[in-house]
């Protein structure tokens, strides 16, 4: 799920009517500073909440988030932290990371979705958060839904809900 500090900031911003960009690590291989699910919020003023591990990758994610806020279009970023790059930048790790950066607009369904996530975290409700990263069939990158243990869904996966429920039920056992 989403780290509590990031979720709290999402709620705060949306309640204030402010949009933001959300960067999420969606895939990692090897030694990386963070693992899948790490998140970073970038506000319109450039402020941040959360972390993707700091350093040069977080700086590039911040730049991409600022562009996503301006353009309103999600982006997928791929990073390869080779040994040479690690040495050049003084990094203690190497591996590959894939990151999804999406704009989140105040209004619409974002507020109810984020509140549902917050309520689930506070109550300990079991579920899975699923997000479309890339889709060739027209589904929107960044579409997200929480699929709960009882099969209920909050959010939307741009037409992929049936598949998400099937996968979530299998994973949740």
């Amino acid at each position: 799920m989403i780290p509590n500090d990031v979720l709290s900031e999402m709620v705060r911003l949306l309640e204030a009517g402010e949009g933001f960009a959300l960067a999420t690590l969606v895939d990692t291989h090897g030694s990386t500073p963070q693992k899948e699910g790490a998140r970073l919020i970038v506000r319109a003023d450039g402020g941040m909440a959360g972390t993707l591990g700091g350093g040069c990758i977080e700086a590039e994610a911040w730049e991409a988030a600022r562009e996503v806020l301006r353009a309103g279009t999600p982006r997928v970023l791929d990073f390869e932290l080779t040994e040479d790059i690690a040495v050049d930048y003084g990094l203690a790790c190497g591996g590959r990371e894939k990151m999804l950066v999406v704009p989140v607009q105040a209004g619409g369904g974002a507020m109810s979705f984020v509140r549902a996530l917050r309520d689930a975290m506070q109550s300990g409700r079991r579920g899975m958060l699923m997000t479309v990263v890339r889709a060739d069939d027209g589904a929107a990158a960044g579409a997200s839904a929480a699929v709960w243990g009882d099969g209920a869904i909050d959010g939307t996966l741009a037409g992929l809900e049936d598949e998400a429920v099937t996968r979530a039920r299998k994973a949740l056992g």
Side-chain angles (χ1 to χ4, degrees):
M1 279 309 247
I2 299 173
N4 218 14
D5 62 327
V6 172
L7 189 55
S8 295
E9 182 68 357
M10 290 170 73
V11 169
R12 186 190 75 73
L13 290 168
L14 291 172
E15 285 178 344
E18 297 178 38
F20 53 88
L22 178 64
T24 304
L25 261 170
V26 295
D27 191 30
T28 63
H29 295 280
S31 175
T32 58
Q34 290 284 341
K35 296 298 175 199
E36 290 95 350
R39 288 177 171 80
L40 175 73
I41 289 175
V42 178
R43 297 184 300 267
D45 67 4
M48 301 183 306
T51 186
L52 297 170
C56 59
I57 290 193
E58 191 161 287
E60 286 191 47
W62 182 86
E63 287 289 339
R66 300 284 296 201
E67 177 56 34
V68 162
L69 277 172
R70 282 189 290 277
T73 306
R75 288 185 57 193
V76 175
L77 308 173
D78 290 298
F79 297 99
E80 185 162 355
L81 305 170
T82 64
E83 187 175 315
D84 291 340
I85 291 171
V87 169
D88 289 347
Y89 288 97
L91 303 174
C93 51
R96 290 177 300 172
E97 296 181 342
K98 182 177 293 193
M99 189 179 307
L100 175 64
V101 186
V102 297
V104 179
Q105 303 301 321
M111 187 73 246
S112 62
F113 179 63
V114 171
R115 282 184 178 147
L117 294 176
R118 178 193 60 195
D119 293 348
M121 290 275 281
Q122 291 172 346
S123 69
R125 187 178 187 188
R126 281 191 71 210
M128 293 185 70
L129 180 59
M130 304 179 95
T131 301
V132 175
V133 177
R134 291 185 186 170
D136 297 328
D137 61 1
S144 293
V147 181
W148 305 112
D150 61 5
I153 298 176
D154 283 304
T156 180
L157 289 172
L160 300 174
E161 286 81 5
D162 289 343
E163 182 179 347
V165 169
T166 300
R167 289 180 183 220
R169 282 187 177 147
K170 187 175 182 179
L172 291 169

